[in-house]
């Protein structure tokens, strides 16, 4: 009996088509996941949400602290520093490199605060709370560790909701910690559902994006300097 030979050209064509479709689907998924597709963002006013302003203007530039935090974080996002967590002998990495924690101290720098000095000061007095007793503290890196920032903000900032669906509670300049290993700052931009954008550095293409649902949120803080002793405020000094 005649046995029909398989059509190799057709098989190759089908496999090629399947591969192309897989690549296309993968590309679309990646574009959606990393927020690469162009789209409109919304503001608080679109949802009749009042934007919270700080009563403090620490650096006296005419802009409240929360707005300064936001603008400092956004400046870092625009620069897109290369993701590099290498230890810096002087503590501060250059502006063209950084990790998630660098977004935060740079945001505070824009408002006139030295987050490094504030964290170092608290560690010096309460090292055991940070797990840094017995001389384990290191000023060059302690302020760049998410675990230390969580302790600091838990002590000196307002702890807020962990539910992104409570859209009015997420305000520009708020600090968010994910799974105790990643940190970012809330933007003044929102999705069409009203969910706040996040400014952060995980090495991703867009540093200001819809990312609150990407990981479990384990901390949400608002640093209100008016609620802590002024002795805890530490001013930013160039090259300090």
């Amino acid at each position: 009996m005649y046995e029909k030979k398989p059509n190799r050209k057709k098989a190759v064509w089908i496999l090629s088509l399947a591969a192309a479709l897989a690549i296309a689907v993968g590309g679309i998924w990646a574009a959606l996941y990393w927020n690469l597709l162009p789209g409109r963002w919304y503001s608080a006013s679109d949802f009749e949400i009042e934007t919270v302003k700080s009563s403090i203007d620490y650096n006296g530039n005419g802009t409240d602290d929360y707005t300064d935090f936001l603008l400092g974080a956004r400046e870092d996002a625009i620069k897109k520093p290369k993701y590099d967590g290498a230890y810096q002998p002087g503590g501060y990495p250059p502006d063209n490199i950084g990790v998630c924690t660098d977004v935060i101290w740079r945001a505070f720098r824009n408002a006139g605060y030295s987050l490094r000095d504030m964290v170092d000061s608290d560690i010096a007095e309460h090292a055991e709370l940070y797990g840094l007793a017995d001389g384990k503290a290191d000023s060059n890196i302690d302020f760049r560790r998410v675990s230390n920032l969580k302790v600091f903000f838990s002590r000196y900032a307002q702890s807020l909701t962990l539910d992104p669906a409570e859209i009015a509670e997420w305000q520009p300049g708020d600090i968010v910690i994910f799974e105790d290993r990643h940190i970012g700052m809330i933007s003044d931009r929102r999705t069409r559902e009203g969910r706040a954008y996040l400014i952060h550095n995980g090495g991703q293409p867009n540093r200001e994006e819809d990312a609150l649902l990407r990981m479990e949120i384990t901390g949400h803080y608002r640093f209100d300097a008016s609620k802590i002793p002024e002795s805890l405020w530490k001013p930013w000094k160039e090259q300090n």
Side-chain angles (χ1 to χ4, degrees):
M1 175 181 277
Y2 173 75
E3 183 177 341
K4 185 177 180 180
K5 295 183 179 180
N7 188 326
R8 293 184 177 179
K9 288 185 178 181
K10 184 177 181 180
V12 170
W13 180 84
I14 292 174
L15 288 173
S16 298
L17 179 61
L21 287 173
I23 292 172
V25 170
I28 292 172
W29 178 88
L32 290 171
Y33 184 83
W34 294 113
N35 299 297
L36 298 178
L37 299 178
R40 177 187 171 188
W41 53 265
Y42 299 78
S43 66
S45 61
D46 291 314
F47 305 92
E48 298 183 349
I49 295 173
E50 182 180 356
T51 298
V52 175
K53 300 290 186 180
S54 173
S55 62
I56 304 294
D57 173 14
Y58 185 54
N59 60 5
N61 67 345
T63 302
D64 74 286
D65 280 359
Y66 299 158
T67 303
D68 269 337
F69 291 159
L70 164 67
L71 296 177
R74 178 168 288 150
E75 180 181 357
D76 187 68
I78 292 172
K79 289 180 178 178
K80 286 188 178 180
K82 178 183 177 183
Y83 190 88
D84 184 346
Y87 181 88
Q88 301 292 325
Y92 295 112
D95 284 350
N96 64 339
I97 67 171
V99 290
C100 62
T101 50
D102 295 314
V103 175
I104 307 304
W105 71 257
R106 286 166 177 159
F108 271 66
R109 174 183 64 182
N110 196 57
Y113 298 95
S114 172
L115 184 58
R116 175 186 183 178
D117 289 344
M118 290 192 288
V119 171
D120 285 350
S121 177
D122 203 45
I123 288 175
E125 295 185 16
H126 306 284
E128 70 284 355
L129 298 179
Y130 293 83
L132 294 172
D134 303 323
K136 295 180 181 179
D138 183 345
S139 178
N140 288 333
I141 194 65
D142 289 338
F143 73 110
R144 298 181 69 209
R145 296 192 188 281
V146 175
S147 58
N148 293 335
L149 293 184
K150 185 173 185 183
V151 174
F152 181 82
F153 289 122
S154 294
R155 284 168 56 75
Y156 299 114
Q158 296 173 269
S159 292
L160 304 169
T161 180
L162 304 182
D163 185 359
E166 297 180 32
I167 60 174
E169 302 306 311
W170 300 82
Q171 291 282 335
D174 285 359
I175 298 142
V176 190
I177 292 178
F178 301 85
E179 300 176 358
D180 294 350
R181 62 184 178 87
H182 187 59
I183 193 169
M185 182 161 284
I186 293 297
S187 166
D188 59 350
R189 299 176 182 177
R190 295 174 180 269
T191 68
R192 64 186 300 171
E193 296 81 20
R195 187 170 56 252
Y197 274 29
L198 182 74
I199 302 175
H200 65 133
N201 180 7
Q204 78 280 9
N206 286 337
R207 303 293 171 87
E208 186 170 7
E209 57 172 348
D210 174 19
L212 280 185
L213 302 182
R214 195 168 290 169
M215 293 183 286
E216 179 187 3
I217 298 171
T218 53
H220 173 199
Y221 307 99
R222 187 169 300 152
F223 183 79
D224 184 349
S226 71
K227 295 184 182 299
I228 63 174
E230 291 189 21
S231 60
L232 294 173
W233 304 358
K234 305 295 181 184
W236 171 263
K237 297 177 182 178
E238 292 299 329
Q239 304 300 317
N240 69 345

